[in-house]
Structure formats: C-alpha cells, structure tokens
Amino acid sequence: MRDIIDGFLKFQREAFPQRTELFKQLATSQHPRTLFISCSDSRLVPELVTQREPGDLFVIRNAGNIVPSYGPEPGGVSATVEYAIAALEVTDVVICGHSDCGAMTAIATCKCLDHMPAVRNWLRYADSAKVVNEAREHQNERARVDSMVRENVIAQLANIKTHPSVRLALEQGRLALHGWVYDIETGSIDAFDGAHNRYVSLAEHPDTCAVPARLGLAA
Ligand code: ZN
C-alpha cells in the first residue's frame, strides 16, 4: 500500500501542477464524449491505451467487461450506462475485452466456479458467447480463450442495445458502438467491424465501428 500512497504524493507534486487549468475546469463539470467499458484486469488501463486525460472517458470496469441486458433489477452497470447516454450524452461507447482474460478463460475452459458463486452468476451474462464458442472448433486452448474474448465483446454489444437509453440514442443517430479486443503483450487492438462481421486491426482500419452513428437501427 505504501507505493500507492507514494504515487499519490508524486501526483500532487508533479502531475497535478501540470494540469491545474484542466482540473479547475473539471471541478464543476464534465463532458466526456465516450463511455469506455472494460475488464477490471490490472493490465488494461483505458486512459493509458487511449492516451486520454481526466474528463475524457466515462468508465465502467468489471470482471469480463460485461453489460447485463436491460431488466427490472437494479444494477450498477445499467444505471451507469443510462447516466452516460441520457445525461452526459456520450457519442460513443467502447466495449473493450483483452487477451488472457481470467473471466473468459474460466468460461472457455469450463472451470468450476462453485467456490465463487458471485462470479459464476455474473458470467452468465456471457452465456450467448459461451454457446457460440463451444460450438466451434479450436486448435488449442489459447485459441479457444481468444475466441471467447472476441465473442464476449460481440455478446455485450448485443446486450447494451437492449437498454432503452441506448436504443433511443441509436434511433436518433447520435451514438456509435465500438467493440475492441486489446492484446496485452503487443499493445495492439482489434476492432469489430459490424458491417462485415469480423475483427480487423484498429491501427490499419481506424474507422472501424461495430454500429456506426446514424445507422444504429439498421445494423
Ligand atoms: Zn479480463
């Protein structure tokens, strides 16, 4: 814990003074344009990977970068999605999975999660990706997990479209959805191309989108 506190002291000493104007602006308002939904994994840092500053990203992180489909039960993810879309009016949502994901590995390799009942129940929101992945042939376990990570991002893109706030923003053409998979070792990102139903390199195809704005309902 000491290194965390030392980090805070360094922030106060070095990072904060470089951004006094920014924090002054941010003190009373925020206008992030993007809702970034990623795994809680310590190795994926949204602001680092996208080189964003405070105030730029509205972030949800949880085990498996999961968005439960809309329902009557109260849920932190659902409330945060709704706030981002309806109140902050973000223009883009990124759902970002990553390589070597523990949650997706547990699903893909059918690890017994009886000793972690909360995790087991939570990961059921990835069931549609699980059955698709299980029906496929995989060359080895690594390929099985990589495929599960990708299918899960696609499943969560479908889940988020069930939220009324998202549905409305898509209908009004003011929201785009993005599905990414970040590779920890290489620092690269593959993005889901919704028009062609495949993943492509984001570096090579920076305009790739799962659901572009204006075409929300058609996609
Ligand atoms: Zn993960």
Side-chain angles (χ1 to χ4, degrees):
M1 189 61 205
R2 186 65 219 187
D3 53 348
I4 301 276
I5 295 163
D6 285 346
F8 162 65
L9 296 173
K10 184 167 181 251
F11 165 77
Q12 270 209 324
R13 208 169 50 238
E14 297 173 17
F16 187 87
Q18 291 169 10
R19 296 172 176 83
T20 45
E21 265 313 303
L22 174 63
F23 284 122
K24 200 171 167 189
Q25 283 173 26
L26 292 176
T28 53
S29 67
Q30 63 164 338
H31 303 285
R33 308 318 304 141
T34 303
L35 168 61
F36 199 98
I37 302 172
S38 68
C39 188
S40 296
D41 195 291
S42 62
R43 300 164 293 177
L44 166 54
V45 182
E47 291 83 358
L48 179 66
V49 166
T50 60
Q51 294 288 281
R52 294 298 87 200
E53 284 287 318
D56 289 339
L57 298 181
F58 201 67
V59 176
I60 295 172
R61 300 186 68 168
N62 61 49
N65 42 274
I66 276 167
V67 181
S69 35
Y70 186 77
E73 318 82 26
V77 173
S78 297
T80 309
V81 166
E82 193 170 276
Y83 185 75
I85 308 288
L88 297 174
E89 298 185 330
V90 300
T91 57
D92 294 86
V93 176
V94 179
I95 298 179
C96 187
H98 66 97
S99 61
D100 198 47
C101 182
M104 294 307 117
T105 301
I107 295 173
T109 59
C110 294
K111 283 221 169 69
C112 176
L113 293 172
D114 286 351
H115 61 300
M116 289 192 281
V119 174
R120 186 187 60 207
N121 289 340
W122 176 246
L123 295 181
R124 299 213 48 188
Y125 291 113
D127 273 355
S128 65
K130 179 184 178 182
V131 296
V132 167
N133 202 48
E134 279 178 356
R136 291 217 180 109
E137 297 278 334
H138 302 283
Q139 289 196 329
N140 51 46
E141 187 149 304
R142 169 98 188 256
R144 181 180 300 278
V145 173
D146 287 350
S147 170
M148 182 65 210
V149 168
R150 285 162 189 259
E151 286 304 323
N152 178 53
V153 167
I154 294 169
Q156 303 316 320
L157 285 166
N159 284 353
I160 202 170
K161 287 193 216 169
T162 65
H163 290 245
S165 57
V166 174
R167 193 82 191 148
L168 178 63
L170 289 172
E171 155 74 21
Q172 294 176 340
R174 57 182 167 86
L175 182 69
L177 304 180
H178 310 262
W180 292 0
V181 173
Y182 170 70
D183 187 89
I184 292 165
E185 189 173 355
T186 64
S188 60
I189 289 174
D190 281 349
F192 184 65
D193 175 352
H196 300 96
N197 201 33
R198 61 174 183 182
Y199 279 90
V200 296
S201 159
L202 184 63
E204 290 169 23
H205 304 276
D207 296 327
T208 305
C209 212
V211 180
R214 290 186 300 282
L215 297 173
L217 286 185

